Amino acid sequence: MDKKKIVEIFAANIRAERARKNYTQEKVAEYADISTEYLSRIENGKACPTTLVIANLALALGVTLDTLLPLDNLKNN
């Protein structure tokens, strides 16, 4: 699987989890200790976050890393 597809899937999962919980970008960014602008770039597939940021986003959203980046599903594509 190519990098672009992985970034797209991750971005979509962040947006979906944030919407599911009815969290604003501001709230998630604050909890994840990143700027709202950076979160927006992540959600739009324009930024590739570090592992620390990915972990902080999962914690901020109250989900597992696998929810945001389901490697088993990616492996099958």
Side-chain angles (χ1 to χ4, degrees):
M1 172 150 309
D2 66 43
K3 176 184 171 183
K4 183 177 179 180
K5 187 66 175 171
I6 293 170
V7 170
E8 288 173 3
I9 291 168
F10 180 73
N13 289 342
I14 292 284
R15 284 190 312 272
E17 285 302 319
R18 189 172 61 75
R20 191 178 344 271
K21 292 184 170 45
N22 202 30
Y23 288 171
T24 64
Q25 282 187 332
E26 290 80 10
K27 180 176 184 172
V28 173
E30 180 181 340
Y31 288 164
D33 197 29
I34 60 175
S35 71
T36 305
E37 293 79 13
Y38 186 43
L39 178 57
S40 177
R41 290 181 57 232
I42 292 169
E43 287 188 357
N44 287 299
K46 305 288 185 201
C48 195
T50 65
T51 53
L52 179 59
V53 170
I54 293 170
N56 283 344
L57 286 168
L59 290 170
L61 291 166
V63 298
T64 64
L65 293 173
D66 190 56
T67 300
L68 300 180
L69 197 58
L71 295 179
D72 285 341
N73 293 347
L74 293 173
K75 184 171 41 175
N76 296 328
N77 289 326

